[in-house]
Amino acid sequence: GRHMHQYLKSIGFEEIQTRKELKELLAETKNTFTDQMIISYQGESDFCEYRKEYGDRIGMILCGEMDEEESFEREYYVPYMEGEGVTTYADVTIEHRMDKEAYVGICEDEKVGISLIFHIQNGVEYMKEARLRTSFVQEVTVTFSALANEGRILIPVKKIERAAENKVEEQNNRKRLLNAARNGDQSAIETLTLDDIDTYSKVSRRLVTEDVLSIVDTYIMPYGVECDQYAILGVILELEKLQNRKTGKELYRMRLDVNELIFDLCIPVDQLLGEPAVGRRFKGNIWLQGRLNF
């Protein structure tokens, strides 16, 4: 679509409201890029990616086709935040988005228990890599990052400490069961279901008297119609302020732990309710991105 990207706001571009302002931003991204990648593409033309940093590890990616006459036709653009470290070693399936030359990754990380779908930040590099290899090896690691337009901070709840060993053991058992269930082990599937029903009824009973957020530490669940958007609750591990150099907007970079997935999130300072601090929790809706590490 040619409409404004809904996550421009999360990296500090909320004042871009008109087609004209967007055009200017994209022209600037292309003409004063920080990085460029070009691959030959369908016969006469090239496929290009322009990337421009507008702050520390945030910026815009612009992709499209360049014909022989050097005329560039934009396919899509995305705001991005660059993550650090490796979020997941799980296998990734890569799928082409129908509408454009963009890619999504689908990752089955057992820590999460659902398939995580994310926008691939380095799609052009992937096109290049996929072309160089006869068979594309799925064993790539992925660095996730996330953009949020708004969110709120939750104060940690005073929890009755369950014995830590029990909790770890429980999680490990659950991981084993999930894996077995994925591989079609019937009894594991049944155990898992009964287990889940049991957990569910316990939770439902507690919900009558308690708030759900005091029962679950963190969660990540699909949100809305877009497959790569999630509602999350995560613990803040690190926190720093960044600035969008073009607009002067102040942003937070938060390193979060969400179901043991560790990734960075970018959100405008003035769109966060409550005072963030390490150890507190962030709750909000995010757009999940990932960089494939070749």
Side-chain angles (χ1 to χ4, degrees), residues 43-84:
E44 324 290 56
S45 55
D46 289 335
F47 199 78
C48 308
E49 173 193 275
Y50 298 97
R51 192 180 284 245
K52 182 170 171 66
E53 286 169 11
Y54 282 101
D56 183 27
R57 297 184 15 217
I58 56 158
M60 298 287 293
I61 294 170
L62 177 60
C63 290
E65 225 174 287
M66 179 90 80
D67 65 19
E68 289 167 303
E69 283 76 56
E70 296 284 294
S71 111
F72 177 76
E73 190 171 323
R74 168 179 116 224
E75 278 246 0
Y76 64 95
Y77 70 92
V78 289
Y80 73 89
M81 159 165 250
E82 204 175 307
E84 278 187 344

Side-chain angles (χ1 to χ4, degrees), residues 5-16 56-60 78-81 145-151 229 242-244 247 249-254 265-272 282 285-289:
H5 198 288
Q6 72 182 97
Y7 283 95
L8 276 173
K9 178 179 170 183
S10 50
I11 64 164
F13 283 124
E14 70 174 42
E15 67 240 39
I16 290 183
D56 183 27
R57 297 184 15 217
I58 56 158
M60 298 287 293
V78 289
Y80 73 89
M81 159 165 250
S145 56
L147 299 181
N149 285 336
E150 53 192 19
Q229 291 181 15
L242 312 173
Q243 198 178 37
N244 180 315
T247 64
K249 275 298 260 194
E250 288 215 299
L251 312 163
Y252 280 121
R253 178 189 72 85
M254 284 181 209
L265 167 106
C266 187
I267 184 171
V269 168
D270 61 10
Q271 295 302 315
L272 186 61
F282 168 86
N285 298 329
I286 63 160
W287 180 35
L288 190 62
Q289 303 187 341

Side-chain angles (χ1 to χ4, degrees), residues 7-280:
Y7 283 95
L8 276 173
K9 178 179 170 183
S10 50
I11 64 164
F13 283 124
E14 70 174 42
E15 67 240 39
I16 290 183
Q17 296 292 341
T18 65
R19 188 71 64 72
K20 182 171 174 285
E21 289 165 332
L22 177 63
K23 231 169 128 178
E24 282 165 9
L25 178 67
L26 296 180
E28 181 185 358
T29 300
K30 175 176 176 288
N31 299 331
T32 62
F33 61 83
T34 319
D35 289 293
Q36 180 187 33
M37 190 174 255
I38 298 182
I39 60 167
S40 56
Y41 178 73
Q42 295 172 354
E44 324 290 56
S45 55
D46 289 335
F47 199 78
C48 308
E49 173 193 275
Y50 298 97
R51 192 180 284 245
K52 182 170 171 66
E53 286 169 11
Y54 282 101
D56 183 27
R57 297 184 15 217
I58 56 158
M60 298 287 293
I61 294 170
L62 177 60
C63 290
E65 225 174 287
M66 179 90 80
D67 65 19
E68 289 167 303
E69 283 76 56
E70 296 284 294
S71 111
F72 177 76
E73 190 171 323
R74 168 179 116 224
E75 278 246 0
Y76 64 95
Y77 70 92
V78 289
Y80 73 89
M81 159 165 250
E82 204 175 307
E84 278 187 344
V86 168
T87 315
T88 176
Y89 292 90
D91 279 2
V92 177
T93 314
I94 289 138
E95 287 194 6
H96 198 227
R97 286 284 297 260
M98 290 307 190
D99 48 341
K100 43 186 180 262
E101 224 18 286
Y103 295 88
V104 292
I106 303 158
C107 163
E108 301 277 350
D109 192 313
E110 58 186 41
K111 294 194 280 264
V112 183
I114 55 171
S115 301
L116 282 179
I117 300 174
F118 58 94
H119 168 83
I120 292 178
Q121 283 178 346
N122 51 341
V124 176
E125 188 184 0
Y126 164 70
M127 286 162 81
K128 201 173 185 169
E129 287 287 328
R131 189 165 301 177
L132 294 174
R133 304 170 186 220
T134 42
S135 71
F136 186 72
V137 194
Q138 302 296 34
E139 278 85 59
V140 288
T141 65
V142 184
T143 302
F144 283 151
S145 56
L147 299 181
N149 285 336
E150 53 192 19
R152 47 188 278 239
I153 296 298
L154 303 182
I155 307 297
V157 280
K158 290 192 174 58
K159 281 208 291 294
I160 306 148
E161 275 311 314
R162 264 195 307 173
E165 309 79 80
N166 288 0
K167 200 171 171 196
V168 171
E169 195 179 328
E170 234 173 76
Q171 279 172 341
N172 289 339
N173 283 340
R174 187 168 171 75
K175 277 178 205 170
R176 276 199 293 275
L177 284 167
L178 275 169
N179 272 339
R182 283 219 182 86
N183 300 328
D185 174 339
Q186 200 49 47
S187 70
I189 293 169
E190 281 156 19
T191 317
L192 197 62
T193 325
L194 288 171
D195 205 35
D196 285 346
I197 290 166
D198 190 37
T199 308
Y200 180 75
S201 59
K202 274 188 201 141
V203 166
S204 314
R205 279 202 299 278
R206 280 182 66 180
L207 273 182
V208 181
T209 54
E210 294 175 54
D211 173 16
V212 64
L213 299 182
S214 63
I215 301 170
V216 285
D217 287 334
T218 65
Y219 60 72
I220 177 163
M221 341 187 249
Y223 164 78
V225 288
E226 289 291 335
C227 56
D228 48 11
Q229 291 181 15
Y230 295 88
I232 66 162
L233 174 64
V235 178
I236 301 172
L237 304 177
E238 287 169 31
L239 183 67
E240 67 168 332
K241 271 189 181 169
L242 312 173
Q243 198 178 37
N244 180 315
R245 287 195 288 266
K246 185 174 167 66
T247 64
K249 275 298 260 194
E250 288 215 299
L251 312 163
Y252 280 121
R253 178 189 72 85
M254 284 181 209
R255 200 155 177 71
L256 297 176
D257 175 341
V258 178
N259 287 30
E260 296 174 64
L261 290 175
I262 312 290
F263 58 85
D264 288 333
L265 167 106
C266 187
I267 184 171
V269 168
D270 61 10
Q271 295 302 315
L272 186 61
L273 275 172
E275 194 53 48
V278 170
R280 291 184 176 177

